Structures are given as C-alpha cells and as structure tokens.
Amino acid sequence: MCHTILVSKNNDHLDRLARRGWVSTQGEDPILPSRAGRWLAAHTGLPGQTTMVAPESALIVPESALSATACAALSAVVGKMHVHTERAERLGRAGGLSYLDLMRRRGVGELPVPDAVVTPADPEEVQRVVEVCAANDVGLVPFGGGTSVVGGVAALRGDKAAVVVVDLVRLDKLVSVDKVSRLAVFQAGVVAPDAERMLAAHGLMLGHVPQSFERATIGGFAATRSSGQASSGYGRFEDMVEGVRIATPRGEWRLGVAPASAAGPDLRQLVVGSEGAFGVITEVTVRVRELPTVHRYEGFVLDGWEAGANAVRELAQKRVLADVTRLSDPRETEVALALSGGWKTALVRKYLRLREVGEPCLLVLGWESATAEELALRRHATMRVLRGAELAERPGGRLRPVSLGTAAGESWRRGRFAGPRQRDVLLNKGFCVETLETAAYWSSLGQLRTAVRDALVDSLSAPGRTPIVACHISHAYETGASLYFTVLVPRDGDDPEGQWQRAKAAACEAIGPLGTITHHHAVGVDHAPYLPREIGNLGMAVLSSVKYTLDPDGVLNPGKLLS
Amino acid sequence: MCHTILVSKNNDHLDRLARRGWVSTQGEDPILPSRAGRWLAAHTGLPGQTTMVAPESALIVPESALSATACAALSAVVGKMHVHTERAERLGRAGGLSYLDLMRRRGVGELPVPDAVVTPADPEEVQRVVEVCAANDVGLVPFGGGTSVVGGVAALRGDKAAVVVVDLVRLDKLVSVDKVSRLAVFQAGVVAPDAERMLAAHGLMLGHVPQSFERATIGGFAATRSSGQASSGYGRFEDMVEGVRIATPRGEWRLGVAPASAAGPDLRQLVVGSEGAFGVITEVTVRVRELPTVHRYEGFVLDGWEAGANAVRELAQKRVLADVTRLSDPRETEVALALSGGWKTALVRKYLRLREVGEPCLLVLGWESATAEELALRRHATMRVLRGAELAERPGGRLRPVSLGTAAGESWRRGRFAGPRQRDVLLNKGFCVETLETAAYWSSLGQLRTAVRDALVDSLSAPGRTPIVACHISHAYETGASLYFTVLVPRDGDDPEGQWQRAKAAACEAIGPLGTITHHHAVGVDHAPYLPREIGNLGMAVLSSVKYTLDPDGVLNPGKLLS
C-alpha cells in the first residue's frame, strides 16, 4: 500500500478522519505551486477538463442487501450501534485509494459499496462476526486504513448476496510489550502513527514507514506484505512479524512461538500476504527496536542511472545500506527539481553543471541510530563504499557522488508522505496520476525499468498528451531491488478508465518475464490475473486449498488474491 | 540437521563415502584422549558395556517388497543400473544419524530399510520417478546427505506396500551463477563443501556451515530449514533461498522471481521446511556472497550464564553480532575444558581464577570479511557493545570479557565439525550421547534452559549414572535465541532406547510452553507429535490440505512432518 490522503497534522483530527474511511482533500490548501502547474502543462500537454470530487449526494449507493437475519445476528455480536447501514458509513468504506478508486469519487465508474459496516470491539468479537458471516453466507471485507491501491478493500460480493466491511477501527490497542525480547503485540486496527506513539512511551519503535504511514494499520501491513521507506534498515513488514492471531470461519488460529524455527514450513509467511482471504488478522506480534535518538538524512546526485543503480547494489551487497536508500532516475530527478521549484532548483542545477553531472540521479540516504557515535560509524561504512563504487560502464572509473547536504535529505524526509496529497490536486486539475511497482534481481533491473517505462509511455502517448514516467529504487536487497514508477499524463476525458487500464495492462505484461507483479502494493483485484504467471498453477492450487480449508464457504474478501 | 561422520579430510574419499549413505568410523583413530575418558567416567559413572557397530551381515534386511512392475517402471526412467536393490545400498540409506539411528547400527531396534534405492540423473528424471511412485502407490523418501537426526530420512512405509529412497547423489551440479545478482542455482544433491568449492571458483561463497557441513546437501538444507554456525552473519538457510524447483506428483513447481514480493503469501517459505512431504526439491536458487579473504575467530570467557546471554542479546539487538556468535553455559564450558585437556586447560583455569571469573562461560566470536579494514570496523562495533554490556543482575555493572585470544577461537573453528566423530567413539565406549535444540524469545530463554536441563537430568539420573547436560546459544536474533543441548550419560544397557526416548519426551514436554520444538533439526518423525501444539489444529489442517493438493496419494516421505 502506498497512498494516503491526510488533511491535518493535528493528531485527534487525523485519528477521527482516518477512522472514517474515505477522506477527501477538497477545500484544503492547494499545495501545487502555479509555476509547477505551468511546467507540467508545458511538458505533458494541457488537460482537457478539471474533475472535482463529487458530492456524496451525487454518488450512487444501492439499497443494503443485508438480510434482516444476518443483520440481527451481527447486531447480537457487536451491538446494534456497531452495525452501520447508513449511506455515509457505507460510502466511507467503498474501496481504497487507487487512481480508479479516486476517479470513482469523481463519478467515473461504479463504487463498490458494502451493504453494511461492522465495527467489532476486539479479536473475540471479530471471530464471532466471521462465524456469523460464514453461517449466513455473507461476504466479509476486512478494513484497516483503507489505503489499498490495488482494490484490496473493494466491497465485492463474489457469489454472495451481500457483503459487509469489518472495520477494525476499535481494535486500536497495544496489547503488550516485552522490552527484553523487543516484542510488541498490537491489535490489527492500530494505525501506524499511534503504534509509534504507544511504543515511544516505552523507548521503542517499529520503524515501518510506507507512504501510507499516516493512515494504514498494523493488520493491513501484515495482510499485504507492506514495505516501508526505511526497509533497508528496519526490514519489510514480514520481517517484523513474529506472530499473528487470525479469525477464520474454522476458528481462531495463532502462530509464532520463537524467533526462528524448523518446525515445518513457516506458516506465518502464509498468513502474511493473505490479504484477508484466509482470515481476519486481529493481532500481530512485531519485533520492535530501540527508539533512535539521532538521524541524518542526506541528498546526493549521482551521474547516470546505471552508475547509480550499481552503487546501490554495492551498498546492498556489502551490507552497508543506509536505513533509507532511495535512488531516482533522471526523469524523476528532473520532475522533483521542477516541482519543488524556485531559486533552490536553479542553484542546484547550476551546481551540477559546474560539477559536470550530465544525467543527474537523486540519491537520498538516511540513517537513524541510538547514539551519534553509532550513526557516525554506520555512515562511515556506507560512504566508504559509495565513494569507492566502481562504474559498471567504465571499469576502473569511480563514482563521484555530489553532496547536496542534509538540507536536501531533510526536505525529502519532510515531504515523504505528501505525494498522495499532490496527486489529489493533480486529479482535480485533470491529470491521470498513478504509481505502480515491481522488483527484480539486479541483472534484470535495467531491462525491467526500460521495458515498463516504454510500455507506459507507448500506451499513454496521444496527440496533445505526453506522459511523464518517472522511476526510483526504493528498496534494495543483496540480490535485487524494487522499482517504483510514477505516471502523470493529461486525462483522456472520453475514456479515463480505459486510458489507465490499458497502460497498467501494458506495464504488467512488460513486467512478466523479468520481475514480480508487485513488490509491496499486494495483489488485491488488480494483480490477481497475473498471479498464476508468478506462482504457477500449482501455486494457485495450493492457495486455493488453504483458502478452502480455512474458509470453506468463501466468505472472506471475495475476489481478492484468488479471483 | 546437525551431525556428520567423516573419516577423512581427503576430498575424493569424502565425496565417495558421503555418497554412499551410512558411514561408520570403525577403525578410525581414537580421538578421545584417555585422560578425557577418565574424567567422564569420574563425572558420569562407568558405562556397563561397550557396543561397537555391528557388521552389516549381522543386521536384519528384509526382502525387497518392491513389485516387479514398479521396479521396471523406475528402471525405464533412470536405467536399470540406477535402481539398486542390493543389501549394501539399501542398508546405506536406512535412516539418518540420530543416537537411536546409530544404536540401530549397533543392533538395537529395527533399521528402516528401503525396498530399493533410486538414483536419478537430473531434475527431469526425479520428476518422472515421483510420477512413477505415485502411479504405483510406492512411498518415496528423498535422500541427500543422510544426516537427519530426527528420523527425516527413515524409510517408513506408511500405508504403502513398498518404499524407495530417491538418493539425489547424481544431482551434483552448479547449474548457473549470476555474479551481478549474487545468485547461484544448485541441484539439490550438491554437498556443502562441493557447493563452496564450485562457488569459490567464481570468488563467491554461500557461508552455510552447520555441523553436518561435510556431508549435508543443498536440498536437505532447504527441506529442513537448516541453520549454520555462522547464521548470525550469513542468515539461516531459508534466508538464503531465493527460488526452488520441486518435483511433485502433480507436476513440477517453480518459485522465485524477485528478492522480495507482495504477490500473496511467500510460498517459498511453505516449501522450505516441507521435509520432502510436499515434493522433492531438485534445484535451489541461493543468495551468495563475496568470498571473504580474512577471518578472525576469538575466544572469550564471560562470568555467568545470565550476564553472557544478556551480552549476546545486546549484540543482537544493536545488530553488531559477529558472524559466528556462540555462548556456552558453565557446564558446557567445563566439559569443553576437560575434554580438550592438558597443560593448556590448566593454564586457562589458572588465568580465569586470577581474573576472578567465578562461573566461566565460553564465548566464541568469528568475523569474516572481504577486507581487513572491513573486518576491523565490524569487530570494533561488536567489541564496543560487548565491553559496554550492562549486567542484568547488577544494573550499572559492566561485563568484563576475558580474552582467550585467537588461539581459542581458531581451536574452536578447527574442531567445529568434530562433535559427531567424538560421539561415535563415546557410543562405542558405552555412552548415550545425543543433542537436542530449541529456540525462544529472550524473556523466556533462561527459564527454558533451566526447564529442559532439569527435565533431562531428572529423567536420566539413575544409580551409577550421572548425566552431563551442557548447553549453548548457537544462533542469536533480535528477539530471541536458540539453545543447543548436549547430553552424555552411561548407557542403560537393559533399555537403551527407552532411556533416551523418556529423556527426549521429558525435554519436549518442558519446551512446550516456552519455545519451539526445533530450531534447526526439523520435524521428521521424532518431533511430529509435538507439531500440533506449536501450529494448532488449523495449522495441521493447512499443512494437510497442501500435502493432499500436491501429493494426493500420500507417497511422499510417509510419516514425516505430518504423522
């Protein structure tokens, strides 16, 4: 999951809104400088029409199809006031935050509105809700922060007459902390900032910082194999999961007794990434770390994508990655400079010319540590390798990273969650803006970037519409890395859905032979057609058999993961 | 897997023997000094009788029950010369290397002898062998180095009339190397020393060094979630597995396209640890590393188990573990000093007394690096934390590690695979010697050690028999660690099987509420009764459904993992 839409830095406000599902930025400060708008229009073409978010009253919400029997049974479990069938509550949980989800809020296409929203109080109530749904053959969509960008929380019915969203907003507790073992047990509905606040009181932190941080939940992270911006330092979320508690139609299931085990296959890794299709994750035991007291974020410019990717590879393979390691390709670097703007940009450009950087690629490195000494040691190890990195295309040649200092790093850090807010403004202005991501082994990475970029550019180019396709490496491993693409193009007013669907399909086809269909956005609805290609027919058969074992009636998150 | 029995350092000899299954050390140099034997007798009591390995002719080998039809079908796939029904070949694959396995070689209990041994040439032939077995309802036991200590390679029939061992000895190739991505594809039957030799030619290494290193195979490591002595530096084997190729009755299954993915649950982690019950692993893609050019192994003595464990915990949680980090408890330290012996031991003891170490615990730390500078940096980071570690029982007090220098570290390194050879000698002399292991979170670790030790001591104590129960931490994680127990006691000549079975059961019961039933020895036959306790009835149902999906006739490794 990647996108978030936040309207306030006031925490109470954030909490309240985050717990209401869909949140519009309508009426918020415009955060796109007019100069940036002009730059975009000049480089992509002028959008034909603006499209603001539709008022709720303009959206189509069908009558609730939940039977009186099922409604009564759910009310008996959670109390009548926690079974919501009001229009606003149901609209609030009608899908996630993909481009097409956001367009549905603008009247394009049909919103997947649930028949009711149920808000159980605790894992025991979730278990009983799951059983009631199974007994009444009602579909059930687990809902955390609602930040899925792949249709993971769309209230699809499958073969069921009705579907309810189980919003885990009341499962907001830190259950326990084991400081000695560095373990914390969270209820699944805890949003990430709350998790960090509760841990900070114990001098601890989780360190999981995806772009959806401000709204996404612990349960959602586990359900989707989320990966944070600081994954190089803190690991992917599946690396942090030590235990899970899951409500299934067959009963509760708990896993996790030790940091590592050879007691058969690791079934935790079967639950992590199961996207609500095997059960509702109600509690997660996570590995936590000492709260860092110092951090240092720095910006650098490297010359050329290949040299930059090579340098990141060396950092990963010598195991001296900074906690945050993020390399933009020349196009993304150009766009970042253009959109951040003003005299600073001009100064940076001039500086880079003086340093003879032909094809600037922005590299952000960030370290976080318990002590300044430790940070200095780690930074030294990173920088030693970075400065000594060999140029792939010029053996013997050495990388000469140009430092932009901590100001550039801190600027990135401050704006790290702002992308989705910018996107909302751009959507209003008539642009199509979306992201997609993949990962591959290092030897395929260059080819993968080219193939996906070309597929997107080809698919989206039209008279008067020149797409911008920018890319960065956001997560690096010893054997490979992820690629994150941002796409921006004037919207095709006649066929906004088809415009993006064709581009997405072209990108997915291009990924096919080279990498994974998703590195951290999960499968949901959008990637389900591409899963067999990746795990084979036997993989699909295995997933289906697990699904059937735990959810024999198929009530759990219909249409997701296994379509 | 933990034990190995090696008779020669000559590689050709090793290769030849390792590929013949069971290897006896009969007639090898006695490697237990007589002084050590006296020390043991004084501390444990004198064994009542010696028990040498029985000659093959004395062992009971039933007639092969493989039908002529099945035999012909197997011969049609692999060629007649690769279907072995000779007594020696079948005896060579009759079980692994647990204490009870070794006692069966001494005429105690029944050897699980397969009806035939099949040696396919490559993954394609393995696939067809699996299909032939399924078609003929013949049980199939995949066999690598044969080093299982939990019955994982016992040729059990289950409900089948016949069972064959599929020995992967001919799958001994390095299939490909991707130096850029640091990936290597191995056939499953490659033994670890061969894997390292083949990688070294490319300047690479795997770094997986379990005690079974000299005989165990790449496929076996993956099938059992093996963990090496340098797991702190190189990771557990499951951390190294990037891809797998598996032969199942339903067809071939391949997994692994990227270093990380959110495309649903990680099915590789379902195959890793499946112990041949879901399919025969035929190829493994592993993450490899640059071959280190320098290493440094050092010995230290810490004062007291609790202080030592606390120090290892701090190293893990500050992420400055040495590649090898191994802490012996006072009893293991005492035994190590006693058995290594001579004037060196006396000197060490005297030195420790002078330094006022009341309860010596041996700590071995080992670092391996590409450059001396890198090693120095990493060692500095470790030692800074080790020297600053706070004493849990005396807040504010600091650990004072007593250095024994690199001689002690190198001595451990040289002898790191010798344990099983020593065990063979001790078995001949009439001792019961076995190991078992578990893992738990840090906050339970002290209690777990006490509980398991007490259970073993209580169970094994008898007039004239005083058990030695020694323990060490061999693998440390941020949230917990493994405990490895070595048990030595004069054998109960009247009931050697019952003596150990009761002790093992008592230990397993003691582990129950506190940790995992196995950290790296796997489930096999011995731990199968304890698996439901750990993963729940739903976990068992999930494993069964996966098994049924991939192996509907239940021919794969009957009686293992799922009993």
Side-chain angles (χ1 to χ4, degrees):
Chain A
M1 287 188 293
C2 172
H3 292 296
T4 178
I5 291 178
L6 173 72
V7 294
S8 163
K9 284 191 179 161
N10 176 286
N11 290 328
D12 289 339
H13 187 196
L14 165 65
D15 286 357
R16 196 166 55 76
L17 286 169
R19 286 153 196 219
R20 281 179 50 102
W22 157 254
V23 181
S24 153
T25 59
Q26 285 291 95
E28 289 301 303
D29 297 343
I31 49 172
L32 192 75
S34 56
R35 190 192 37 70
R38 286 196 301 277
W39 186 91
L40 282 179
H43 285 77
T44 67
L46 208 58
Q49 57 192 84
T50 60
T51 327
M52 303 307 277
V53 169
E56 274 194 8
S57 58
L59 297 171
I60 294 164
V61 178
E63 283 293 296
S64 171
L66 190 66
S67 72
T69 318
C71 191
L74 289 168
S75 298
V77 172
V78 296
K80 205 167 177 181
M81 66 179 292
H82 295 297
V83 180
H84 311 272
T85 49
E86 308 86 332
R87 182 184 169 89
E89 293 289 354
R90 290 167 59 206
L91 263 178
R93 280 80 172 182
L97 297 178
S98 72
Y99 169 64
L100 293 182
D101 284 328
L102 299 179
M103 288 308 291
R104 289 185 193 111
R105 300 285 173 180
R106 288 165 171 81
V108 175
E110 202 178 316
L111 274 168
V113 187
D115 294 297
V117 178
V118 186
T119 49
D122 51 35
E124 290 77 16
E125 282 195 7
V126 175
Q127 177 58 38
R128 288 163 62 203
V129 165
V130 168
E131 288 166 11
V132 164
C133 286
N136 289 272
D137 207 34
V138 169
L140 179 165
V141 180
F143 197 97
T147 60
S148 173
V149 292
V150 292
V153 293
L156 304 182
R157 275 169 188 71
D159 60 354
K160 308 300 166 196
V163 62
V164 299
V165 156
V166 176
D167 190 323
L168 301 168
V169 58
R170 294 168 71 204
L171 277 75
D172 60 355
K173 319 262 178 323
L174 171 59
V175 179
S176 64
V177 172
D178 174 352
K179 266 193 97 159
V180 171
S181 309
R182 297 277 168 86
L183 292 172
V185 181
F186 282 105
Q187 290 186 340
V190 175
V191 292
D194 287 347
E196 293 295 11
R197 267 193 291 277
M198 291 191 272
L199 286 174
H202 297 271
L204 298 170
M205 86 176 303
L206 186 54
H208 186 68
V209 198
Q211 204 176 38
S212 61
F213 176 78
E214 292 160 318
R215 285 185 66 188
T217 61
I218 296 291
F221 293 149
T224 58
R225 304 186 86 79
S226 173
S227 194
Q229 291 166 345
S231 68
S232 299
Y234 295 90
R236 290 170 61 83
F237 199 74
E238 67 249 36
D239 304 326
M240 305 177 188
V241 173
E242 296 273 348
V244 282
R245 180 177 176 184
I246 316 122
T248 87
R250 291 275 305 274
E252 267 213 323
W253 190 20
R254 288 170 189 259
L255 288 168
V257 300
S261 172
D266 190 351
L267 295 176
R268 294 174 301 192
Q269 293 300 327
L270 194 64
V271 171
V272 174
S274 61
E275 304 188 22
F278 295 168
V280 182
I281 295 172
T282 56
E283 278 181 10
V284 185
T285 306
V286 286
R287 174 255 286 160
V288 293
R289 293 217 171 129
E290 197 175 357
L291 195 63
T293 59
V294 286
H295 72 257
R296 183 185 172 99
Y297 280 71
E298 289 180 64
F300 299 87
V301 173
L302 311 181
D303 194 357
W305 169 257
E306 203 178 330
N310 198 46
V312 172
R313 180 171 67 82
E314 285 207 31
L315 295 178
Q317 292 179 344
K318 291 193 189 302
R319 288 174 293 150
V320 291
L321 281 169
D323 297 320
V324 169
T325 304
R326 187 183 173 94
L327 175 74
S328 296
D329 77 352
R331 191 64 166 150
E332 184 167 285
T333 304
E334 186 191 356
V335 176
L337 287 178
L339 296 193
S340 65
W343 60 270
K344 279 186 198 167
T345 310
L347 208 62
V348 168
R349 281 189 202 281
K350 189 168 176 189
Y351 177 60
L352 294 178
R353 265 199 306 277
L354 285 172
R355 296 287 298 259
E356 295 177 346
V357 176
E359 216 184 22
C361 291
L362 181 65
L363 174 71
V364 174
L365 298 179
W367 299 265
E368 304 185 344
S369 280
T371 65
E373 187 189 354
E374 188 188 306
L375 191 145
L377 277 172
R378 294 188 50 221
R379 181 175 178 276
H380 173 70
T382 310
M383 294 308 298
R384 199 171 63 93
V385 172
L386 185 67
R387 293 207 185 93
E390 199 173 319
L391 297 176
E393 72 276 27
R394 190 150 49 82
R398 296 289 156 193
L399 193 71
R400 291 184 310 156
V402 177
S403 172
L404 300 180
T406 53
E410 283 299 326
S411 161
W412 174 83
R413 187 168 181 262
R414 275 194 308 276
R416 67 201 293 186
F417 308 129
R421 288 195 285 283
Q422 286 192 330
R423 182 170 71 149
D424 249 39
V425 176
L426 290 165
L427 257 60
N428 290 346
K429 287 188 184 302
F431 285 96
C432 163
V433 190
E434 185 55 301
T435 64
L436 59 83
E437 35 79 76
T438 176
Y441 295 117
W442 288 112
S443 54
S444 309
L445 204 70
Q447 200 188 341
L448 177 62
R449 185 180 75 102
T450 306
V452 174
R453 187 191 58 197
D454 290 355
L456 288 167
V457 169
D458 286 355
S459 165
L460 291 166
S461 295
R465 295 199 295 268
T466 306
I468 288 175
V469 178
C471 178
H472 66 255
I473 290 177
S474 53
H475 309 264
Y477 307 87
E478 289 179 66
T479 57
S482 70
L483 292 178
Y484 192 91
F485 293 87
T486 304
V487 179
L488 191 148
V489 67
R491 186 177 304 135
D492 178 350
D494 296 330
D495 184 13
E497 281 182 301
Q499 178 189 27
W500 176 246
Q501 282 164 345
R502 282 187 296 275
K504 171 80 177 173
C508 290
E509 290 303 327
I511 288 170
L514 297 166
T516 176
I517 193 66
T518 173
H519 170 264
H520 61 270
H521 281 176
V523 177
V525 173
D526 298 358
H527 294 139
Y530 303 96
L531 192 56
R533 180 179 77 189
E534 192 153 325
I535 63 171
N537 291 335
L538 282 181
M540 297 306 289
V542 163
L543 290 183
S544 296
S545 73
V546 174
K547 164 93 176 164
Y548 185 76
T549 299
L550 297 171
D551 177 26
D553 302 307
V555 296
L556 293 170
N557 217 6
K560 319 308 156 42
L561 188 61
L562 299 157
S563 60
Chain B
M1 287 189 293
C2 172
H3 293 293
T4 179
I5 291 180
L6 173 71
V7 293
S8 165
K9 282 188 179 164
N10 177 287
N11 290 328
D12 289 338
H13 187 196
L14 165 67
D15 286 357
R16 195 166 54 79
L17 285 170
R19 283 152 197 221
R20 282 179 49 101
W22 157 254
V23 181
S24 155
T25 58
Q26 286 291 94
E28 288 301 306
D29 296 343
I31 51 174
L32 192 74
S34 57
R35 191 191 37 70
R38 285 195 303 275
W39 186 92
L40 282 179
H43 285 75
T44 67
L46 209 59
Q49 57 192 86
T50 60
T51 327
M52 303 306 280
V53 169
E56 276 194 7
S57 58
L59 298 171
I60 296 165
V61 179
E63 283 294 296
S64 172
L66 190 67
S67 71
T69 317
C71 191
L74 289 169
S75 298
V77 172
V78 296
K80 206 167 176 179
M81 66 179 292
H82 295 296
V83 181
H84 310 272
T85 49
E86 309 87 332
R87 182 185 168 88
E89 293 289 353
R90 290 167 60 206
L91 263 178
R93 280 79 171 182
L97 297 179
S98 72
Y99 170 63
L100 293 183
D101 284 328
L102 299 181
M103 288 308 292
R104 288 184 194 111
R105 300 285 173 183
R106 288 165 170 82
V108 175
E110 202 178 316
L111 275 169
V113 186
D115 294 296
V117 177
V118 185
T119 50
D122 52 35
E124 290 76 16
E125 281 196 6
V126 175
Q127 176 60 38
R128 288 163 63 205
V129 164
V130 167
E131 287 166 11
V132 164
C133 286
N136 289 273
D137 207 34
V138 169
L140 179 164
V141 179
F143 198 97
T147 60
S148 173
V149 291
V150 294
V153 293
L156 304 183
R157 276 169 186 72
D159 61 352
K160 308 300 167 198
V163 62
V164 299
V165 157
V166 177
D167 190 323
L168 302 168
V169 59
R170 294 168 71 204
L171 276 76
D172 59 356
K173 319 261 175 327
L174 170 60
V175 178
S176 64
V177 172
D178 174 352
K179 263 193 101 158
V180 172
S181 307
R182 296 276 167 88
L183 292 172
V185 180
F186 282 106
Q187 290 185 341
V190 176
V191 291
D194 286 347
E196 293 296 9
R197 267 192 291 275
M198 291 191 271
L199 286 173
H202 297 270
L204 298 171
M205 87 176 303
L206 187 54
H208 186 68
V209 198
Q211 205 178 37
S212 60
F213 176 79
E214 293 161 320
R215 286 185 66 188
T217 61
I218 296 291
F221 294 148
T224 58
R225 305 186 86 79
S226 173
S227 193
Q229 291 166 345
S231 69
S232 300
Y234 295 90
R236 290 170 61 84
F237 200 75
E238 67 248 37
D239 304 327
M240 305 177 186
V241 173
E242 297 273 347
V244 282
R245 179 176 178 187
I246 315 122
T248 87
R250 292 275 306 275
E252 267 213 323
W253 191 20
R254 288 170 189 259
L255 288 168
V257 300
S261 171
D266 189 349
L267 296 177
R268 293 175 300 192
Q269 293 301 327
L270 195 63
V271 171
V272 174
S274 61
E275 303 186 22
F278 295 169
V280 182
I281 297 171
T282 55
E283 278 181 9
V284 185
T285 306
V286 287
R287 174 255 286 158
V288 293
R289 292 217 170 129
E290 198 175 356
L291 195 64
T293 60
V294 285
H295 72 258
R296 183 184 172 99
Y297 281 72
E298 289 180 64
F300 299 88
V301 173
L302 310 182
D303 193 357
W305 168 258
E306 202 178 333
N310 198 47
V312 173
R313 179 171 67 84
E314 284 207 32
L315 295 178
Q317 292 180 344
K318 291 194 190 302
R319 289 175 290 149
V320 289
L321 282 169
D323 297 322
V324 168
T325 305
R326 186 183 175 94
L327 176 73
S328 297
D329 76 353
R331 191 65 166 149
E332 185 167 285
T333 304
E334 187 191 354
V335 176
L337 287 179
L339 296 193
S340 65
W343 59 271
K344 278 186 196 166
T345 310
L347 208 63
V348 169
R349 279 190 205 279
K350 189 169 177 187
Y351 177 60
L352 294 177
R353 264 200 305 279
L354 286 173
R355 296 287 298 260
E356 295 177 347
V357 176
E359 215 182 22
C361 290
L362 182 65
L363 174 71
V364 174
L365 298 179
W367 299 266
E368 304 185 344
S369 279
T371 65
E373 186 189 356
E374 188 188 307
L375 190 146
L377 277 172
R378 293 187 53 220
R379 181 174 178 276
H380 173 71
T382 310
M383 293 308 298
R384 200 171 62 92
V385 172
L386 185 67
R387 293 208 184 92
E390 198 173 317
L391 297 175
E393 72 276 26
R394 192 151 48 84
R398 294 289 156 194
L399 194 71
R400 293 184 310 159
V402 177
S403 171
L404 299 181
T406 52
E410 282 299 325
S411 161
W412 175 83
R413 187 168 180 264
R414 276 194 308 275
R416 66 201 294 185
F417 308 129
R421 287 194 287 281
Q422 285 192 329
R423 182 169 72 146
D424 250 37
V425 177
L426 289 166
L427 257 58
N428 290 347
K429 288 188 184 299
F431 285 96
C432 163
V433 190
E434 184 56 301
T435 65
L436 59 85
E437 35 78 77
T438 174
Y441 295 118
W442 287 111
S443 55
S444 308
L445 205 70
Q447 200 188 340
L448 178 62
R449 185 180 73 101
T450 306
V452 175
R453 187 192 57 196
D454 290 355
L456 289 167
V457 170
D458 286 355
S459 165
L460 291 167
S461 295
R465 295 200 294 268
T466 306
I468 288 175
V469 178
C471 176
H472 66 255
I473 290 176
S474 53
H475 309 265
Y477 307 87
E478 289 180 67
T479 57
S482 69
L483 292 178
Y484 192 91
F485 293 88
T486 304
V487 179
L488 189 147
V489 67
R491 187 178 305 137
D492 179 350
D494 296 331
D495 185 14
E497 281 182 301
Q499 177 189 28
W500 175 246
Q501 281 165 345
R502 280 187 297 274
K504 172 80 176 174
C508 290
E509 290 303 327
I511 288 169
L514 298 166
T516 177
I517 194 67
T518 172
H519 170 265
H520 60 271
H521 280 175
V523 177
V525 173
D526 299 356
H527 294 140
Y530 303 96
L531 191 57
R533 181 178 77 188
E534 191 152 327
I535 63 171
N537 291 334
L538 282 180
M540 297 304 292
V542 164
L543 290 184
S544 297
S545 73
V546 174
K547 164 94 176 162
Y548 184 77
T549 299
L550 296 171
D551 177 27
D553 302 307
V555 296
L556 293 169
N557 217 5
K560 318 307 156 44
L561 189 60
L562 298 157
S563 60

